[in-house]
Amino acid sequence: GEDVEQSLFLSVREGDSSVINCTYTDSSSTYLYWYKQEPGAGLQLLTYIFSNMDMKQDQRLTVLLNKKDKHLSLRIADTQTGDSAIYFCAESIRGGSQGNLIFGKGTKLSVKP
Amino acid sequence: DAGVIQSPRHEVTEMGQEVTLRCKPISGHNSLFWYRQTMMRGLELLIYFNNNVPIDDSGMPEDRFSAKMPNASFSTLKIQPSEPRDSAVYFCASSLLRSFEQYFGPGTRLTVT
């Protein structure tokens, strides 16, 4: 079945880059997503990438996709304390946007001053 | 826009009681999703609706769980009878049909003692 795997914790110092990794299993995924969850809040879409792309950059965020290895990563440049949150990788299945997203368990990013 | 509204934000109940969680999606959105989040299992999709019609309820854990969407602006998730293992944060999310961005509500933290 479909599965999305992430490491559970990452700790970095303020100003450093953070790299959060994710592996997925459904090779037919059309879209892959990164969501951010701040304490006590719901998830918020951070960025996404189409499966026919290798990289997407959006300000401090860089998403890299390796379709062959089914590996997705999110790089946050110049990490700030406000970036402390849980980051979820998700893939869409069954043609994507209309329905099911499979989420990883989330990576808790802690940013130390 | 007020975003997705969920009520109550916190619910504490005793085992065996009926629990009803409520969700108001963003106006104009025609897809609605119910998720459950626990430390052990992460974020799980319970059920989703398109145009008020349930499309996939395969994630509903058992017959004690039921969900309805009587109109485009309201949905409920009911647990009857509730059990301690139902303790979790329940999220509602909505989106436009064929959009990959789901907007999450703040969640309802349910504790069953």
Side-chain angles (χ1 to χ4, degrees):
Chain A
E2 306 92 6
D3 201 8
V4 176
E5 300 279 346
Q6 302 177 238
S7 53
L8 294 182
F9 301 99
L10 177 65
S11 181
V12 300
R13 292 211 172 272
E14 193 173 19
D16 288 350
S17 292
S18 309
V19 180
I20 303 171
N21 295 301
C22 166
T23 57
Y24 61 97
T25 56
D26 189 346
S27 58
S28 67
S29 291
T30 310
Y31 306 95
L32 294 133
Y33 314 86
W34 285 104
Y35 277 78
K36 178 182 180 182
Q37 183 181 27
E38 296 185 353
L43 280 69
Q44 183 177 18
L45 180 65
L46 204 55
T47 187
Y48 65 92
I49 188 167
F50 293 107
S51 59
N52 62 357
M53 297 169 65
D54 298 323
M55 185 182 89
K56 179 179 179 180
Q57 187 146 3
D58 183 1
Q59 299 182 335
R60 293 191 296 122
L61 306 178
T62 303
V63 179
L64 294 177
L65 175 60
N66 181 328
K67 269 195 88 169
K68 176 175 167 289
D69 295 338
K70 296 182 190 148
H71 182 266
L72 184 73
S73 68
L74 173 70
R75 178 177 181 269
I76 306 173
D78 187 25
T79 313
Q80 303 297 306
T81 53
D83 295 323
S84 294
I86 302 175
Y87 291 81
F88 291 86
C89 171
E91 63 172 340
S92 62
I93 60 171
R94 297 192 212 110
S97 57
Q98 212 162 291
N100 209 342
L101 288 181
I102 303 296
F103 286 87
K105 284 197 164 69
T107 299
K108 184 173 183 178
L109 174 65
S110 298
V111 183
K112 299 184 189 319
Chain B
D1 197 322
V4 175
I5 299 172
Q6 290 187 248
S7 64
R9 291 294 311 275
H10 301 273
E11 176 82 31
V12 181
T13 191
E14 291 184 347
M15 184 172 67
Q17 297 298 306
E18 177 180 295
V19 174
T20 299
L21 311 181
R22 297 173 177 80
C23 175
K24 178 176 166 50
I26 291 173
S27 177
H29 282 189
N30 36 25
S31 292
L32 184 139
F33 307 81
W34 281 102
Y35 291 90
R36 177 172 69 176
Q37 186 180 33
T38 61
M39 289 291 291
M40 288 294 293
R41 300 173 69 90
L43 197 66
E44 304 171 277
L45 177 68
L46 301 178
I47 185 171
Y48 77 93
F49 298 82
N50 284 347
N51 294 317
N52 314 338
V53 176
I55 303 300
D56 185 354
D57 65 354
S58 59
M60 297 284 263
E62 46 197 276
D63 291 346
R64 297 184 297 107
F65 286 68
S66 62
K68 292 182 180 177
M69 192 164 186
N71 57 61
S73 58
F74 184 66
S75 177
T76 59
L77 178 68
K78 188 176 291 188
I79 308 172
Q80 166 63 20
S82 57
E83 296 182 4
R85 60 195 168 117
D86 301 330
S87 297
V89 181
Y90 290 81
F91 288 103
C92 175
S94 70
S95 73
L96 291 168
L97 205 60
R98 280 182 270 282
S99 167
F100 48 75
E101 182 166 4
Q102 293 183 18
Y103 292 78
F104 280 72
T108 295
R109 181 174 293 278
L110 173 65
T111 303
V112 183
T113 59

